[in-house]
């Protein structure tokens, strides 16, 4: 990947994260933004824009951490199927942990049912993204895309998952998903060798 291509990915991901932050503001806090003056609206929107851009930096760090891990894993494991099996194991392990760990730390007498919502929502997005990636590239992209979208996004999402607050979890998830879907769907175009 050339420096120019990386710069394009960095800037577009940063802008998408900001857009995700503004979308969160309009969904959850539009009434607060409209309460005061026009200055209050613009400053509040700017704060959500900057928040989304900050989340995009987290998403980009996660993306390049995954790329590094993927590179080394392909050299460590003897066959590609072994590395794919490890990724499937981690997808299942993280799915279980997202439910169990949140329930044990935040449940306090509540039922376990509500703690299935976040992992199932993220799994649906990961499946849709993997399906789109396979359509754009080939079927070998299915498991790596699932792993990145589910496991890496879950790790990036941990600060919000520690709270039992829908606003906190979604305000971090929306920019993360905007950025991670964007990055994984454009990776094959950026690393393609030019003839």
């Amino acid at each position: 990947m050339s420096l120019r291509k990386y710069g394009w990915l960095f800037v577009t991901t940063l802008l998408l994260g900001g857009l995700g932050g503004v979308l969160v503001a309009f969904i959850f806090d539009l009434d607060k933004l409209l309460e005061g003056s026009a200055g209050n609206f613009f400053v509040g929107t700017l704060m959500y824009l900057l928040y989304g851009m900050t989340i995009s930096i987290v998403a980009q760090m996660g993306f390049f951490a995954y790329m590094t891990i993927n590179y080394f894993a392909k050299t460590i494991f003897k066959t590609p199927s072994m590395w794919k099996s490890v990724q499937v194991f981690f997808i299942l392990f993280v799915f279980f942990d997202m439910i169990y760990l949140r329930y044990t730390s935040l449940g306090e007498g509540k039922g376990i049912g509500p703690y299935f919502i976040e992992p199932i929502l993220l799994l649906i997005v990961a499946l849709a993204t993997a399906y789109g990636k396979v359509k754009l590239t080939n079927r070998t992209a299915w498991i790596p895309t699932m792993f990145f979208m589910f496991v890496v996004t879950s790790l990036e999402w941990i600060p919000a998952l520690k709270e039992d607050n829908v606003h906190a979890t979604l305000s971090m998830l929306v920019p993360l998903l905007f950025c991670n879907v964007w990055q994984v769907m454009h990776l094959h175009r950026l690393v393609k060798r030019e003839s």
Side-chain angles (χ1 to χ4, degrees):
M1 183 186 306
S2 69
L3 194 55
R4 181 181 58 81
K5 288 179 179 179
Y6 170 72
W8 178 84
L9 183 64
F10 177 82
V11 170
T12 56
T13 306
L14 194 68
L15 293 174
L16 271 173
L19 178 66
V22 169
L23 182 65
V24 166
F26 290 165
I27 291 171
F28 288 108
D29 291 331
L30 188 59
D31 54 339
K32 289 180 187 172
L33 292 173
L34 295 174
E35 273 178 4
S37 62
N40 180 57
F41 176 80
F42 287 115
V43 170
T45 304
L46 177 65
M47 295 311 293
Y48 271 98
L49 176 77
L50 294 175
Y51 171 75
M53 288 179 160
T54 304
I55 298 300
S56 82
I57 299 298
V58 173
Q60 291 186 56
M61 288 190 312
F63 182 66
F64 284 100
Y66 170 70
M67 301 249 311
T68 305
I69 290 167
N70 191 44
Y71 176 77
F72 285 117
K74 285 180 178 178
T75 60
I76 292 170
F77 293 104
K78 303 289 182 206
T79 63
S81 63
M82 188 180 287
W83 171 228
K84 287 183 180 181
S85 299
V86 170
Q87 291 178 86
V88 169
F89 168 77
F90 277 115
I91 291 168
L92 297 172
F93 182 76
V94 169
F95 185 86
F96 170 78
D97 272 357
M98 280 181 77
I99 298 164
Y100 179 74
L101 293 177
R102 290 192 76 229
Y103 175 69
T104 55
S105 65
L106 302 171
E108 297 178 21
K110 294 186 240 174
I112 197 168
Y115 297 98
F116 278 87
I117 295 171
E118 288 90 354
I120 289 174
L121 174 71
L122 186 57
L123 188 63
I124 290 168
V125 172
L127 286 167
T129 306
Y131 178 78
K133 184 71 174 181
V134 166
K135 288 290 185 187
L136 290 174
T137 57
N138 58 54
R139 60 190 176 117
T140 61
W142 182 266
I143 291 175
T145 304
M146 281 289 298
F147 179 84
F148 172 72
M149 287 303 301
F150 191 79
V151 175
V152 176
T153 303
S154 299
L155 293 173
E156 295 164 347
W157 198 16
I158 284 175
L161 289 174
K162 288 182 178 179
E163 299 180 33
D164 199 8
N165 183 331
V166 174
H167 183 278
T169 54
L170 288 180
S171 66
M172 190 169 188
L173 178 64
V174 171
L176 274 176
L177 288 180
F178 273 42
C179 296
N180 284 345
V181 169
W182 177 258
Q183 291 177 113
V184 81
M185 295 302 274
H186 283 83
L187 178 65
H188 66 278
R189 292 186 182 109
L190 299 175
V191 297
K192 184 171 61 175
R193 294 183 189 275
E194 296 175 3
S195 52

